[in-house]
Amino acid sequence: MRLVTYRSSVTAAARLGALVNDLVVDLQALAAYYDLELPNDMLEFIDLGPAALDTARKIIEDSTDDWPVGTVFYAANVKLLAPIPRPRKNIFGIGLNYVEHIAESAHMLENAANLPNEPVIFSKPPTTVCGPGDAIEHNAKLTQQLDWEVELAVVIGQRAKRVSEEDALDHVFGYSVMIDVSARDCRRAGQWIVSKGQDTYAPFGPCIVTADEIADPHALDLWLTVNGVTKQKSNTHHMLFKVPYLISDISQGIALEPGDIIATGTPEGVGAGRTPKEWLWPGDVVEAGVDGIGRLRCPVVAV
């Protein structure tokens, strides 16, 4: 199932939907038609667990050939928001998780070229999140080195506390696309949160694809372009620490809860790793995608 948060001309409020071909199905409205209840909020839906997914799948299957009036919209006529517009907690970011990116990072940030022995973890506040088509803010007073990173995002579905690698994927709700925007000149004493945590620095979406539809999260092509020119192109197979390891590692000391997001790292091809270095500027358009999930397109604007 491909789940979205959307806004239509009918209502200004954000609502929960499912993408079915070229339609957005309003899950709460469709459930009500069958005298059932589903929430209109992604986090509340995730909280309900597998039962909510089962209900949503059943009512969509029963309605596909004859949608009740008022339950569907053409996707082209609605505004897709970030699937989780306001996460409850900071996003867990993973640094240096693709071998080739580690090599270019050693050059661009004067990091050690050795492979890390354990995941490098940072965080991005909830206010970093923006959705498809939303602007990435370029504040020239703060940065002259705005950079891009395409990443597979993992959304947690069930609480994970000290879970094993073997059981870790059972705690995944689904997967999405994230652009980890970074102001390279805003690191402070080696700390990354100001560099990666500014408003709009986590474009997210366009949907969450539920885990049952992604057979292997480590076999997905991912890519990023700037103004139509390919900058990153790789596959999640090249992750140094795979998704189960990341979930298990974080959960040993920090409980992962429904709706938590892990951005799993980026491959080579970032602007700071290029010769000469390349940065994002107002007027640029960044587009990123992950195979089987979708793509994000966001302009860069001056603020």
Side-chain angles (χ1 to χ4, degrees):
M1 188 178 303
R2 309 174 73 82
L3 296 167
V4 297
T5 297
Y6 78 98
R7 183 181 294 126
S8 74
S9 59
V10 176
T11 174
R15 295 187 62 83
L16 173 67
L19 283 174
V20 180
N21 299 322
D22 60 347
L23 299 174
V24 171
V25 181
D26 188 293
L27 289 178
Q28 186 180 59
L30 186 60
Y33 176 82
Y34 289 100
D35 293 323
L36 300 170
E37 291 187 3
L38 285 176
N40 65 358
D41 175 84
M42 185 73 76
L43 286 173
E44 292 180 23
F45 185 84
I46 294 172
D47 287 342
L48 291 175
L53 279 171
D54 291 343
T55 296
R57 291 190 185 102
K58 180 65 166 60
I59 60 177
I60 287 173
E61 181 181 351
D62 290 347
S63 305
T64 298
D65 295 328
D66 186 16
W67 298 107
V69 175
T71 64
V72 295
F73 302 88
Y74 283 108
N77 294 337
V78 305
K79 163 67 175 171
L80 293 185
L81 310 177
I84 303 174
R86 182 68 178 235
R88 294 176 178 133
K89 291 159 53 177
N90 282 19
I91 296 161
F92 293 91
I94 307 299
L96 307 176
N97 201 29
Y98 285 72
V99 174
E100 294 84 355
H101 180 55
I102 294 168
E104 70 178 358
S105 293
H107 165 69
M108 73 188 189
L109 298 175
E110 299 180 354
N111 294 328
N114 298 330
L115 301 183
N117 295 321
E118 54 193 3
V120 176
I121 303 171
F122 60 93
S123 75
K124 298 169 79 78
T127 47
T128 57
V129 170
C130 61
D134 291 343
I136 298 168
E137 296 180 356
H138 185 287
N139 186 340
K141 293 180 180 179
L142 295 177
T143 182
Q144 295 291 303
Q145 297 182 1
L146 196 65
D147 206 346
W148 57 81
E149 299 185 9
V150 59
E151 312 207 358
L152 173 69
V154 177
V155 180
I156 298 298
Q158 298 182 43
R159 190 176 190 272
K161 179 68 173 178
R162 290 190 286 272
V163 300
S164 66
E165 283 186 69
E166 292 74 19
D167 295 335
L169 290 183
D170 293 339
H171 297 263
V172 174
F173 178 78
Y175 302 92
S176 191
V177 184
M178 184 168 286
I179 303 174
D180 176 13
V181 180
S182 305
R184 302 293 185 193
D185 47 357
C186 288
R187 291 201 307 165
R188 298 183 180 180
Q191 299 299 309
W192 293 2
I193 193 164
V194 177
S195 169
K196 292 175 172 287
Q198 297 181 40
D199 295 352
T200 74
Y201 277 20
F204 176 40
C207 63
I208 296 173
V209 177
T210 52
D212 60 292
E213 295 199 9
I214 302 293
D216 183 357
H218 311 108
L220 304 174
D221 289 334
L222 69 170
W223 53 268
L224 182 143
T225 67
V226 178
N227 302 326
V229 178
T230 298
K231 302 296 183 181
Q232 293 182 279
K233 187 174 179 62
S234 188
N235 189 284
T236 55
H237 170 76
H238 299 295
M239 284 185 192
L240 178 60
F241 299 105
K242 309 301 187 189
V243 173
Y245 189 97
L246 295 174
I247 292 171
S248 178
D249 181 68
I250 294 170
S251 76
Q252 299 310 306
I254 303 172
L256 291 168
E257 300 174 314
D260 283 354
I261 303 165
I262 303 172
T264 58
T266 198
E268 74 280 8
V270 301
R274 296 175 172 270
T275 304
K277 298 181 188 300
E278 299 178 15
W279 309 115
L280 294 171
W281 301 101
D284 288 339
V285 176
V286 184
E287 190 167 2
V290 177
D291 185 35
I293 298 173
R295 62 180 63 196
L296 280 169
R297 186 177 188 273
C298 294
V300 182
V301 301
V303 296

